Amino acid sequence: MTKGISRFNLSRRGILQAGAATLALPAILRSTAAQAAPVTKVLDFETSADIAKAEAEGEVLFYTHDSDPAGAALMEAFTKDFPKIKGSYLRAQTGALFSKLLAERSAGRYVCDVVQFSDIATALDLQKRGGYELYDSPEKVKYDARFLSTPPGYFFQAGVTFCGIAYNTDRVSEAEAPKTWKDLLDPKWRNAMSCKQATSGTQFVQWYELKRLYGDEFWKEFAKQRPRGFDSRAQLFDRLAKGDDKICAMAEWAGYELVRARGAKVKFVAPPDGLPATVTAAGIVSKPAHPEAAKLFIDWLMTRGQVIYQENKFFLYPSLSKNPPPMPGGMKLSDFKVLYPQDVAAFAASHATFVKEWNGMMGL
């Protein structure tokens, strides 16, 4: 396994610049600063939520980019800890979640409580629009400032996901398998590769980072390979395991570990130039339908939820908390060389270009 960079030091200047834009843009959504509230210890974490009111609300709805099994596992764990509160979720890729949330708010529908995106750029966009409720979680002390929104209280970085290359070992020998990102451009992989659609936050990061490393020509050549785009990592790895595709060009580590554990004939490749990575961002949306349950859920997600993220087979997200629980198999984030956007403002500004180029490549 390649050792290398593991610190997610997002450019503070970039974050501050992006956050400052909030004051200059018209707000589609409204954000309300949370008032100071008593802190209560519940289970093994602290919360400023009113527990009695949260239980009376009886529900919390989580919008997530993760798979259906992942969303179900997370909300079942929350409801197990708080039986009087029904945890439910809605899943879609990050771009689709963002569009859905804006459309609902524009129509005066406020049903979501907490949203999690698979990239910081989308979270910053929502923050600019006043789309988060400001909640001063007592559990923020368990995270370094660089893993919190600016100012703290809008969202926190809930975990990390990163991608490499994966191949079907029945259809591709180890000798001929791609070892680097540029190996994906070999004509022998034409009509034999899969990736994600433009709604994926991780796909956006991969596009941005490999363009930074290799220039525009890399993706122009990649387009000639006629890759197939899919919505979820489950689809990608199911196809790879069955041999429908020889190569997965955007293979998320967590998805690979899941199918590998099932005995699938697949192998993961960590290119030496690094693995594009993105941090997830979770926060309470403005005017949540269940405000106290939303606060309780965020505090739970920052603590007990981190164990689910790291250990549950549908996640396997390294935690960014100061003292994260161990990952299965003893893997650490430092075992991988990860690549992530250093200039968040520039990254966010490139999103429209990415969508246009990627959809064009997918024939959309």
Side-chain angles (χ1 to χ4, degrees):
M1 200 61 65
T2 305
K3 297 229 177 201
I5 303 168
S6 64
R7 291 170 65 85
F8 278 67
N9 291 318
L10 295 177
S11 165
R12 195 149 184 85
R13 171 184 283 182
I15 293 175
L16 287 169
Q17 288 175 340
T22 305
L23 300 177
L25 292 177
I28 293 176
L29 316 173
R30 298 296 179 185
S31 149
T32 304
Q35 300 298 316
V39 174
T40 302
K41 184 169 184 179
V42 55
L43 300 176
D44 54 0
F45 67 93
E46 293 185 334
T47 183
S48 294
D50 185 316
I51 304 297
K53 288 183 179 179
E55 292 179 338
E57 290 169 355
E59 185 178 354
V60 63
L61 177 57
F62 182 46
Y63 279 16
T64 176
H65 56 89
D66 281 306
S67 66
D68 283 310
L74 188 71
M75 303 317 289
E76 284 171 8
F78 177 74
T79 297
K80 182 177 179 180
D81 281 344
F82 298 97
K84 295 182 180 179
I85 305 174
K86 178 185 177 183
S88 56
Y89 72 95
L90 180 147
R91 71 86 39 195
Q93 289 292 343
T94 283
L97 276 182
F98 185 64
S99 296
K100 178 176 176 58
L101 191 61
L102 292 185
E104 288 176 347
R105 297 310 173 94
S106 294
R109 295 183 64 240
Y110 299 90
V111 295
C112 178
D113 295 303
V114 177
V115 65
Q116 179 170 292
F117 299 121
S118 62
D119 70 72
I120 289 295
T122 305
L124 287 172
D125 197 350
L126 187 63
Q127 183 181 347
K128 291 176 189 177
R129 299 168 185 265
Y132 288 110
E133 193 83 4
L134 183 62
Y135 173 53
D136 188 24
S137 170
E139 291 297 341
K140 70 181 182 183
V141 297
K142 294 180 179 175
Y143 292 80
D144 288 341
R146 66 184 182 274
F147 301 136
L148 304 173
S149 63
T150 304
Y154 290 117
F155 60 82
F156 81 103
Q157 295 175 22
V160 183
T161 184
F162 51 90
C163 67
I165 301 167
Y167 63 93
N168 181 295
T169 57
D170 281 340
R171 299 196 63 191
V172 180
S173 69
E174 185 171 0
E176 68 173 336
K179 308 299 189 300
T180 70
W181 292 114
K182 286 192 173 182
D183 287 344
L184 296 176
L185 306 183
D186 191 313
K188 67 185 175 185
W189 307 128
R190 189 162 297 165
N191 297 314
M193 287 197 298
S194 65
C195 57
K196 278 193 175 180
Q197 296 176 348
T199 50
S200 166
T202 309
Q203 187 62 79
F204 177 28
V205 173
Q206 186 193 39
W207 171 86
Y208 184 84
E209 284 301 302
L210 298 192
K211 180 188 282 280
R212 180 181 63 80
L213 285 178
Y214 310 127
D216 292 338
E217 285 305 309
F218 177 85
W219 291 116
K220 290 179 182 178
E221 291 301 310
F222 183 81
K224 295 177 183 178
Q225 301 290 62
R226 302 190 189 101
R228 303 178 181 91
F230 297 94
D231 180 63
S232 71
R233 71 185 185 204
Q235 290 174 292
L236 294 181
F237 280 104
D238 283 346
R239 289 180 58 85
L240 190 67
K242 290 187 296 184
D244 292 341
D245 300 304
K246 292 181 180 180
I247 304 291
C248 179
M250 206 284 283
E252 292 172 90
W253 170 258
Y256 161 73
E257 279 291 295
L258 180 58
V259 296
R260 183 196 62 80
R262 294 175 181 167
K265 300 292 184 67
V266 297
K267 190 167 184 178
F268 187 86
V269 177
D273 282 350
L275 290 77
T278 180
V279 288
T280 65
I284 302 173
V285 299
S286 62
K287 298 182 180 179
H290 310 96
E292 298 304 318
K295 295 175 188 175
L296 181 63
F297 179 71
I298 278 289
D299 294 326
W300 178 88
L301 193 60
M302 296 180 83
T303 52
R304 295 171 70 86
Q306 293 294 291
V307 178
I308 308 298
Y309 274 175
Q310 287 214 151
E311 295 185 358
N312 186 279
K313 63 183 180 181
F314 296 116
F315 291 105
L316 300 180
Y317 291 160
S319 173
L320 294 170
S321 60
K322 292 178 181 177
N323 297 296
M327 292 179 67
M331 296 300 296
K332 299 179 180 179
L333 189 59
S334 57
D335 291 327
F336 301 89
K337 179 182 179 179
V338 294
L339 305 169
Y340 61 95
Q342 294 290 321
D343 188 333
V344 179
F347 172 57
S350 71
H351 188 258
T353 301
F354 159 67
V355 172
K356 181 179 179 180
E357 290 185 5
W358 206 259
N359 282 343
M361 184 168 62
M362 295 291 107
L364 301 175

